[in-house]
Amino acid sequence: MAFLKGPGNLILTLLRRLMYLWVRSRVLGADREQLGLDPEKPVCYVLQYSSLSSRLVLEEELKRASLPRAERPLPLGQGLKHSFFFLYRRRGGLRRLRQTPVPTERFEALVTQGCRTGNDVQIVPVSLFWGRSPDKEKSLLKIMLSDSWSVTGPLQKFFTILIHGRNLFVQFHRPLSLQEAVSDARSESVAQRKLARILRVHFRRVRQAVIGPDLSHRRTLVNSLVRSQPVKDAIRETAEHEDVHQARAKERALKYAHEIASNFSMVTIRFLEVVLGWLWNRIYDGIRVNNIETAQEAARDNAVVYVPCHRSHIDYLLLSFVLYKNGLMPPHIAAGINLNMPIVGPLLRRGGAFFMRRSFRDNPLYSAVFNEYMHVMFTRGFSVEYFVEGGRSRTGRTMQPRPGMLSMTVRSFLRDPRKPIVFVPVYFGYEKVLEGRSYLGELQGTQKKKEGLLGLIGSVRNLRRSFGQVSVNFGTPIELASVLDEKQPQWREQAYDEESRPDWLPDVVNTLARRTVTHINEAAALNPVNLLATVMLATDRLAMDEQLLARLMEDLCNLLHKQPYSDRMTFPEGSGEDWIAYNEKMGLIVRRKQKLGDIIMLEGRHAVLMTYYRNNVQHLFAIPALLASLFQNNSSLQRERLVFLARAIYPYIQSELFLRWPTETIDSVLETWIDRLVEEGLLISEGSLLHRPEPGTADAVRLGVLSNGMIQTLQRYYLSIAILQRFGPNTLTPEELEEQSTLLAERVSVLFGLSAPEFFDKTLFRNFIANLRANGILSTDDDGRLAWRSGLEEVAEEARLVLSSELRQSILQVTNVSVPMPGVKTPDVPETGQS
């Protein structure tokens, strides 16, 4: 290793070891497989600015990662004694702090030799950040001692290392091909400028993603909101409307701005990193992060809006932690004003939370301040996070999206589209949710508790328990400009201001909302808990032989392995026996020893909560479950008839579960799944006729477990239709039908032991009724009462093919018990309905 010999290298080695007595680094990407290095081509590393400390850090991290060393000569020609270069050097002397950077001689020599020899080199960009802190106006100490957007001098770098040496972040990036970059250049000088531009843009995008755009001091930001023209107009209108002095209205606007605005602090972020790191290690067996490169790529040149599903209060803390750990700035988070409580509120605000009231439709001044704050966030390129569902899901399903925040985002972009906005969906897959106890009570009908400090403190008692693993999966990004181009191609030709609400805006927002939650569901995580829940809840007595349970769990997992819901979903590792042992370790199941084989059981309180985890992934099995359910009351069906029935039902379950396939293409999806079920032995094909397996066989059991995931949904649909038919046309309003359906579904749930709280979820009935109207099955008369065409009888008739006669008879009996409503005459019917 001659390249390490000599007094110069000895001095560098001593300096490196001396520096690393103090420096502590965290490194991303320093792995041959992650980088995708070609062993047949030489590797050369590039750092942005010439710096002795940067060279020492590079050499140390390459040594630790066992990557090709930077001290080696580059086999490309004369004058390249090392396999690294700095892109720029500072022009000027030691005392000049703001020198103009110019390309280094080594960079120019590399490009020259590459052009002359035609040999390729893998150029690996390496980014270094000391402190990772964004600028803050009026904070000279922060500007001087943190990595920022300015070029630092030697003296400043010394103090930066001294202050931030324990918080060094190093990121290796996938290599660029030298020949691909310079192949079409007309001359060596043009090739140098081209490669310099490519690398300069790369480093700029990475820097923005890691340290974020320049921050203003909170007081400066708040004052700027009140000085903006939209807020000034709102102040004037408020003063005139309420007959108060403008100074009073301005004071109120300033108060609103202080109430809303975050107070982002890197000190708090680092504090939370330590605390949350301890917390996750305490309560979780691990955090699995998938497709993080999606967020890293989106953050380089866009304003990113993270749109996660909302399962727990842990969600926003977990996402910020994952992003920061993977080299991205934590987002500014839209939090409900109910969380702005003593101690917790200020901490969340300094961690990036901004607070919003639940509703401000009747407060135009507050609305103007909040809209302007959001506009500032987007136009300055900050990443933002909000939950499109609004609140946390108590049933485990993704809820219907609320358009409010999405509408603000679209309107802000229309005002100033220079900074692209990209939505990044995020799916949280918990094996055991932290609020499980409170959710259990709410699922069983108790009133939702108001958030408070005592409630959060009470949750700390759970920290001694294991909550398994949690998956953080990033979904397919959605570019806002692309959605606008698709829905309104001429949007760029119009001028917009803060008051603009074009007629086509609701359609764009609704499309964006549906696409967002659909992409969230595409990134779902299949895990041992929701697999066990799916199988166990399909049994009558919530008990099953251990070996059979293990085999059925493996069968369900393998079914999706062979026919994945999407390329973003993730799977658990291990076997069925491993998954049962894992659930037992977490206390979710009970084992009863038996000589013929152990029996696995769900206790009563866990049976209800298990519906939550099953519902997390119900959409993954929706299509095969729908097809299987059509055979529960039919021993055989013509293939064409099966596709027809499934196609007729699909729009309703698509809307409810946010399935990814458009109705226009569902036939091909159904055909593919039918072939898969036949291949797996779950259906038997004889020409165009399809049969279910013989009763009592293993395949019949598998088909029954699969179909259970859809049967209750079809029961709920039939219940609403039965109520409509009982009352007759032009009798019920949509709201009255929704109320009747909810109350009677709850009654069915109690009478027939359905441990599925979403069975009587009012919002699901509301969505089903809305879809019946959208599909033209239902309409309203002049008095707002529901009428229907002949299609309703067809839907009811088709239900006979899905539901057993016993179940249909039971539902019809229950619909004879109705709640009287003002103005609604209850029809006279016999006590026993006829099927």
Side-chain angles (χ1 to χ4, degrees):
M1 298 177 58
F3 58 90
L4 292 178
K5 297 180 180 179
N9 284 309
L10 178 61
I11 293 173
L12 290 175
T13 300
L14 292 174
L15 287 174
R16 174 167 52 83
R17 291 180 178 177
L18 180 64
M19 188 174 76
Y20 267 82
L21 291 175
W22 170 246
V23 169
R24 296 292 182 271
S25 62
R26 191 166 66 83
V27 185
L28 288 181
D31 180 88
R32 289 177 181 267
E33 291 187 5
Q34 288 185 32
L35 293 174
L37 296 178
D38 185 344
E40 303 298 324
K41 296 180 181 179
V43 177
C44 186
Y45 304 93
V46 53
L47 299 109
Q48 189 169 12
Y49 294 112
S50 176
S51 166
L52 175 60
S53 61
S54 297
R55 176 178 178 180
L56 298 178
V57 168
L58 176 65
E59 292 178 0
E60 177 67 20
E61 301 306 338
L62 291 176
K63 178 183 176 184
R64 292 181 178 184
S66 300
L67 288 170
R69 303 292 289 275
E71 302 94 331
R72 297 177 183 273
L74 190 64
L76 195 62
Q78 299 296 322
L80 298 172
K81 298 179 180 180
H82 303 289
S83 294
F84 79 94
F85 66 91
F86 298 106
L87 180 58
Y88 293 116
R89 60 182 174 86
R90 290 181 297 273
R91 180 189 297 166
L94 180 64
R95 296 181 181 178
R96 189 172 178 183
L97 297 179
R98 297 273 181 180
Q99 303 95 337
T100 303
V102 295
T104 60
E105 295 177 357
R106 189 174 296 175
F107 163 72
E108 293 174 345
L110 173 72
V111 178
T112 298
Q113 293 293 339
C115 290
R116 293 178 180 178
T117 64
N119 295 331
D120 200 10
V121 175
Q122 300 174 93
I123 301 175
V124 178
V126 183
S127 303
L128 278 67
F129 300 95
W130 300 90
R132 294 180 63 189
S133 178
D135 287 342
K136 270 184 172 285
E137 294 176 14
K138 300 185 180 181
S139 179
L140 296 178
L141 185 63
K142 209 61 161 174
I143 293 175
M144 187 181 82
L145 298 181
S146 301
D147 251 319
S148 65
W149 289 89
S150 60
V151 182
T152 59
L155 183 61
Q156 181 178 340
K157 178 65 71 174
F158 171 77
F159 283 107
T160 295
I161 296 172
L162 186 65
I163 300 299
H164 293 293
R166 315 293 284 186
N167 190 29
L168 169 63
F169 177 71
V170 184
Q171 189 169 6
F172 288 76
H173 306 278
R174 292 184 68 85
L176 306 172
S177 167
L178 174 61
Q179 288 304 316
E180 288 182 9
V182 305
S183 58
D184 58 348
R186 298 187 303 273
S187 64
E188 294 174 5
S189 61
V190 172
Q192 291 172 3
R193 290 196 298 272
K194 180 182 177 183
L195 182 57
R197 183 175 66 254
I198 292 172
L199 292 172
R200 183 172 65 249
V201 170
H202 169 82
F203 282 119
R204 178 176 59 80
R205 289 179 173 177
V206 171
R207 181 165 293 268
Q208 175 170 314
V210 173
I211 71 172
D214 292 352
L215 279 171
S216 293
H217 191 275
R218 183 172 186 266
R219 185 181 303 169
T220 306
L221 174 60
V222 166
N223 290 333
S224 72
L225 294 177
V226 179
R227 290 195 303 267
S228 67
Q229 192 59 48
V231 176
K232 287 166 69 175
D233 293 342
I235 290 173
R236 186 183 64 256
E237 292 172 4
T238 300
E240 293 174 357
H241 179 71
E242 299 183 6
D243 194 21
V244 298
H245 198 277
Q246 283 199 22
R248 291 281 300 275
K250 181 178 180 181
E251 183 179 340
R252 193 192 307 173
L254 197 61
K255 180 181 177 182
Y256 290 156
H258 278 288
E259 177 187 302
I260 294 167
S262 68
N263 190 19
F264 198 90
S265 164
M266 286 304 297
V267 174
T268 303
I269 292 297
R270 294 187 195 115
F271 168 76
L272 289 174
E273 178 192 16
V274 175
V275 172
L276 293 177
W278 169 84
L279 177 65
W280 307 145
N281 288 329
R282 181 89 174 177
I283 65 176
Y284 293 126
D285 294 332
I287 299 174
R288 300 175 60 186
V289 182
N290 300 287
N291 305 317
I292 184 63
E293 62 277 0
T294 294
Q296 292 169 335
E297 183 65 29
R300 288 182 183 172
D301 209 28
N302 303 285
V304 177
V305 180
Y306 296 99
V307 278
C309 62
H310 202 7
R311 303 283 194 255
S312 167
H313 277 315
I314 294 293
D315 294 344
Y316 39 81
L317 299 174
L318 185 58
L319 180 56
S320 293
F321 179 83
V322 165
L323 292 172
Y324 188 74
K325 277 293 187 182
N326 284 275
L328 296 169
M329 279 299 290
H332 291 250
I333 307 161
I337 195 68
N338 59 309
L339 293 178
N340 191 20
M341 61 187 78
I343 302 176
V344 174
L347 184 64
L348 293 177
R349 196 185 291 276
R350 289 180 174 273
F354 60 94
F355 295 98
M356 60 182 295
R357 299 182 180 184
R358 185 169 297 274
S359 175
F360 42 88
R361 181 176 299 174
D362 298 327
N363 190 340
L365 181 57
Y366 182 92
S367 179
V369 174
F370 190 87
N371 276 290
E372 195 62 23
Y373 180 78
M374 294 296 296
H375 185 62
V376 169
M377 292 292 103
F378 294 130
T379 53
R380 294 193 183 184
F382 292 110
S383 58
V384 174
E385 173 191 347
Y386 52 73
F387 300 100
V388 292
E389 299 168 275
R392 290 169 293 158
S393 171
R394 265 64 175 186
T395 64
R397 287 181 170 194
T398 302
M399 300 191 300
Q400 290 291 326
R402 297 184 179 181
M405 294 294 289
L406 290 172
S407 180
M408 291 182 198
T409 306
V410 175
R411 288 168 55 205
S412 174
F413 182 68
L414 291 175
R415 284 175 61 186
D416 187 354
R418 288 175 295 179
K419 187 70 175 180
I421 293 179
V422 173
F423 294 88
V424 176
V426 185
Y427 180 93
F428 293 110
Y430 296 98
E431 293 179 343
K432 200 173 181 183
V433 72
L434 189 64
E435 298 94 331
R437 283 190 173 183
S438 65
Y439 284 177
L440 180 61
E442 292 175 31
L443 289 170
Q444 292 175 326
T446 60
Q447 190 173 0
K448 177 184 174 182
K449 294 182 179 179
K450 185 179 179 180
E451 307 295 350
L453 181 59
L454 293 179
L456 290 179
I457 293 175
S459 298
V460 174
R461 291 178 297 180
N462 292 328
L463 299 186
R464 295 182 180 179
R465 305 174 185 173
S466 171
F467 287 82
Q469 290 189 335
V470 55
S471 295
V472 183
N473 294 353
F474 291 86
T476 304
I478 304 168
E479 296 180 359
L480 178 53
S482 298
V483 176
L484 286 167
D485 288 337
E486 173 189 333
K487 303 299 294 184
Q488 189 66 24
Q490 292 80 32
W491 68 273
R492 290 183 176 86
E493 301 172 7
Q494 304 174 38
Y496 308 92
D497 57 27
E498 67 280 356
E499 297 295 331
S500 295
R501 287 181 173 83
D503 294 338
W504 46 262
L505 181 64
D507 184 42
V508 169
V509 172
N510 288 336
T511 299
L512 185 60
R514 298 288 304 184
R515 195 165 298 178
T516 297
V517 290
T518 301
H519 284 201
I520 290 173
N521 274 357
E522 287 179 6
L526 198 63
N527 61 50
V529 176
N530 51 48
L531 271 172
L532 181 134
T534 300
V535 176
M536 290 294 287
L537 291 174
T539 64
D540 291 333
R541 301 190 180 276
L542 305 179
M544 185 173 286
D545 173 78
E546 181 182 17
Q547 293 185 357
L548 176 60
L549 174 60
R551 187 164 61 251
L552 289 172
M553 291 170 68
E554 289 178 355
D555 286 343
L556 284 179
C557 188
N558 290 334
L559 191 64
L560 286 182
H561 260 301
K562 296 175 181 177
Q563 193 87 13
Y565 180 80
S566 78
D567 58 0
R568 294 271 171 168
M569 70 168 292
T570 56
F571 296 87
E573 299 176 351
S575 64
E577 289 81 2
D578 298 331
W579 301 334
I580 292 174
Y582 189 72
N583 278 275
E584 188 176 12
K585 175 185 172 184
M586 290 201 295
L588 296 173
I589 54 177
V590 174
R591 178 186 297 270
R592 177 173 291 181
K593 296 287 186 179
Q594 223 270 346
K595 289 184 179 180
L596 297 179
D598 290 356
I599 297 175
I600 305 300
M601 306 173 62
L602 282 178
E603 291 184 341
R605 64 187 186 90
H606 283 309
V608 177
L609 192 56
M610 274 293 182
T611 64
Y612 182 94
Y613 302 114
R614 178 199 62 189
N615 291 346
N616 288 171
V617 294
Q618 187 180 18
H619 63 284
L620 300 181
F621 299 100
I623 296 300
L626 173 60
L627 293 169
S629 69
L630 295 170
F631 283 90
Q632 289 309 291
N633 199 36
N634 302 278
S635 59
S636 62
L637 281 171
Q638 290 289 334
R639 185 177 183 124
E640 184 179 355
R641 178 66 171 162
L642 176 61
V643 172
F644 171 80
L645 290 171
R647 184 200 310 127
I649 299 171
Y650 177 74
Y652 304 102
I653 64 171
Q654 180 198 24
S655 177
E656 183 174 313
L657 300 177
F658 308 108
L659 302 183
R660 60 189 298 260
W661 301 284
T663 53
E664 308 85 60
T665 62
I666 193 58
D667 279 19
S668 62
V669 178
L670 293 170
E671 294 282 2
T672 301
W673 264 112
I674 291 171
D675 292 339
R676 175 61 59 192
L677 294 178
V678 170
E679 185 178 325
E680 295 294 316
L682 296 174
L683 293 178
I684 301 167
S685 177
E686 292 182 358
S688 62
L689 194 63
L690 294 166
H691 303 272
R692 68 187 180 194
E694 289 294 324
T697 63
D699 288 334
V701 174
R702 294 165 61 203
L703 188 71
V705 168
L706 188 60
S707 69
N708 185 266
M710 192 53 59
I711 286 291
Q712 289 181 359
T713 299
L714 301 180
Q715 291 170 359
R716 189 164 16 87
Y717 294 166
Y718 183 65
L719 190 146
S720 288
I721 293 170
I723 292 172
L724 273 172
Q725 288 186 311
R726 174 174 178 260
F727 276 89
N730 307 102
T731 305
L732 295 175
T733 66
E735 294 76 18
E736 290 166 347
L737 175 58
E738 177 188 316
E739 182 70 16
Q740 286 279 314
S741 299
T742 303
L743 292 172
L744 293 177
E746 187 172 2
R747 187 177 181 87
V748 169
S749 177
V750 173
L751 290 175
F752 299 101
L754 301 178
S755 57
E758 77 278 358
F759 187 77
F760 48 88
D761 186 343
K762 181 177 291 189
T763 58
L764 296 182
F765 283 110
R766 185 181 307 145
N767 184 55
F768 176 59
I769 295 167
N771 277 300
L772 286 173
R773 296 175 67 183
N775 292 331
I777 303 294
L778 296 181
S779 60
T780 54
D781 60 17
D782 294 339
D783 295 326
R785 303 192 182 281
L786 292 170
W788 59 84
R789 58 178 176 80
S790 59
L792 186 72
E793 285 75 12
E794 295 173 9
V795 174
E797 184 65 26
E798 288 164 1
R800 297 175 182 272
L801 298 172
V802 179
L803 307 180
S804 66
S805 58
E806 178 185 1
L807 185 57
R808 283 186 286 114
Q809 180 77 10
S810 299
I811 290 177
L812 289 172
Q813 283 180 336
V814 172
T815 58
N816 289 330
V817 182
S818 61
V819 179
M821 293 187 173
V824 178
K825 184 179 184 299
T826 304
D828 296 324
V829 291
E831 297 227 349
T832 302
Q834 300 299 316
S835 60

